[in-house]
């Protein structure tokens, strides 16, 4: 996928998020559009912060055993706590990693936040090692901001 295609994808997802009737629909459409557009996005999901746990919301891919992740656990917990994107090139070399699928090689977790408040995060796994880079951050961080705007509506 070229950078122009990615820019078009970001525009399409931004439109879907804006037009969605509610935040849940915005999250579902985001997950589906990302999974369908980018072949190496093997598993795409959104976790929402509930107290001091991350609760799995919409996802596309094989069901994960990790439907509730305490903030102190996993790469997911680390990203929400650090309030920063985390990219792991080799999940099996990262002691924080909570396995979802034996096939997963790399992961990116992008917090969904606004004004320093974390609402949740976008979590993407790839069966390819070192799959995620600057182009993925440049796609996913703006999408996370748009989702944060919808989630902060509270509806
Ligand atoms: N790998 C994540 C757990 C979620 S599953 O990948 C869907 C983590 O280490 O936090």
């Amino acid at each position: 996928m070229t950078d122009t295609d990615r820019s078009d994808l970001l525009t399409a997802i931004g439109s879907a998020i804006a037009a969605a009737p509610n935040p849940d629909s915005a999250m579902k459409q985001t997950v589906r559009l990302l999974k369908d557009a980018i072949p190496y996005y093997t598993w795409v999901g959104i976790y929402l912060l509930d107290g001091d746990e991350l609760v799995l919301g919409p996802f596309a891919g094989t069901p994960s055993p990790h439907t509730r992740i305490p903030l102190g656990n996993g790469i997911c917990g680390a990203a929400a706590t650090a309030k920063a994107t985390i990219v792991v090139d080799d999940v099996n070399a990262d002691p924080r990693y909570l396995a979802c699928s034996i096939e997963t090689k790399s992961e990116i977790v992008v917090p969904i936040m606004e004004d320093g408040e974390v609402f949740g995060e976008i979590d993407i796994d790839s069966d390819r090692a070192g799959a995620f880079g600057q182009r993925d951050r440049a796609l996913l961080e703006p999408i996370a901001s748009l989702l944060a705007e919808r989630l902060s509506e509270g509806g």
Side-chain angles (χ1 to χ4, degrees):
M1 181 178 258
T2 65
D3 285 339
T4 307
D5 290 338
R6 286 205 175 214
S7 171
D8 289 347
L9 178 63
L10 176 55
T11 302
I13 293 176
S15 301
I17 291 171
N22 53 56
D24 189 52
S25 169
M27 290 189 290
K28 283 184 176 146
Q29 291 187 64
T30 298
V31 162
R32 177 46 58 197
L33 288 165
L34 285 171
K35 175 80 167 67
D36 287 350
I38 306 198
Y40 63 85
Y41 286 9
T42 311
W43 189 94
V44 180
I46 292 177
Y47 283 89
L48 292 172
L49 191 59
D50 176 17
D52 55 7
E53 282 190 325
L54 292 156
V55 180
L56 182 59
F59 68 93
T62 309
S64 168
H66 303 292
T67 55
R68 297 188 81 92
I69 301 176
L71 278 181
N73 288 10
I75 295 160
C76 286
T81 304
K83 301 186 178 185
T85 298
I86 296 182
V87 170
V88 178
D89 290 336
D90 176 2
V91 291
N92 293 308
D94 193 317
R96 299 171 298 184
Y97 177 63
L98 298 170
C100 171
S101 157
I102 191 171
E103 305 294 332
T104 299
K105 303 285 193 304
S106 60
E107 179 164 9
I108 186 170
V109 184
V110 180
I112 297 170
M113 58 186 190
E114 188 177 70
D115 300 331
E117 182 185 356
V118 175
F119 296 102
E121 57 197 24
I122 302 169
D123 178 18
I124 303 181
D125 292 345
S126 181
D127 289 357
R128 190 194 296 176
F132 302 105
Q134 188 50 44
R135 294 170 73 231
D136 301 286
R137 287 175 186 263
L139 173 67
L140 299 170
E141 288 177 350
I143 290 171
S145 294
L146 295 170
L147 285 173
E149 279 176 30
R150 288 304 309 260
L151 287 164
S152 69
E153 290 167 12

